Amino acid sequence: MADWRRAGDRITLANGCFDVLHVGHVRYLRAARELGGKLVVAVNADASVRALKGEGRPVMPAEERAEILASLSDVDAVVIFSEMDVRALIRDIRPDFHAKGTDYSVESVPERDEVEACGGQVVIVGDPKDHSATDIIRLSSRLRPRQS
């Protein structure tokens, strides 16, 4: 990232569990990328996904979620983090923008104070939260044939 800074690139940080990648994630990441510069995506480690979403989650391990995200053209870098929020990563990266989805407001972003202390700006991006990995997982479990 130091090379990006030397080249004058802005850095946007987006984060989430990304347990089952869906169109809402793609739209969120595309909108984050449109802020300009480089997009870094921080992915919750397995233990933090379990703490946030409950037993049985994540469906995919963090390394696989990160690999899928890294393959997207809008994403420049992916990092897995184990903390419950990205404050430490914000201090390390010092993003120009911290992109959060529309299930937040600027005021409700937990890391807002850290972003602003580092000179960055919180930006709400993406389409309305009409898609959910939890809902997809719940629906798919109802559609699976029962084992006899």
Side-chain angles (χ1 to χ4, degrees):
M1 281 180 240
D3 290 341
W4 295 345
R5 290 275 184 216
R6 279 193 291 281
D9 287 319
R10 289 181 161 189
I11 295 174
T12 298
L13 175 65
N15 70 285
C17 296
F18 302 100
D19 196 9
V20 175
L21 195 64
H22 55 71
V23 71
H25 290 137
V26 172
R27 291 171 182 167
Y28 161 59
L29 295 173
R30 182 163 298 130
R33 174 58 177 227
E34 288 172 358
L35 294 171
K38 302 294 185 177
L39 177 59
V40 177
V41 180
V43 178
N44 288 77
D46 295 346
S48 64
V49 173
R50 218 170 354 272
L52 291 165
K53 305 290 185 176
E55 283 305 312
R57 301 284 297 274
V59 174
M60 287 188 288
E63 293 76 16
E64 291 180 12
R65 292 180 277 128
E67 184 177 340
I68 291 167
L69 289 164
S71 75
L72 299 176
S73 61
D74 289 320
V75 176
D76 294 294
V78 178
V79 61
I80 298 169
F81 70 102
S82 56
E83 299 80 13
M84 292 304 292
D85 66 40
V86 290
R87 281 184 169 84
L89 203 51
I90 289 166
R91 286 190 294 274
D92 289 343
I93 294 174
R94 304 183 69 80
D96 298 283
F97 302 107
H98 181 44
K100 296 296 277 187
T102 57
D103 48 335
Y104 288 91
S105 67
V106 170
E107 296 76 25
S108 71
V109 171
E111 306 89 5
R112 181 178 134 211
D113 57 336
E114 202 67 51
V115 173
E116 292 172 351
C118 291
Q121 177 184 351
V122 171
V123 183
I124 306 303
V125 299
D127 60 354
K129 181 110 171 128
D130 294 333
H131 305 90
S132 159
T134 299
D135 291 344
I136 292 168
I137 293 165
R138 190 176 300 124
L139 176 63
S140 69
S141 68
R142 289 194 308 242
L143 297 175
R144 286 188 201 132
R146 296 188 188 249
Q147 300 291 327
S148 39

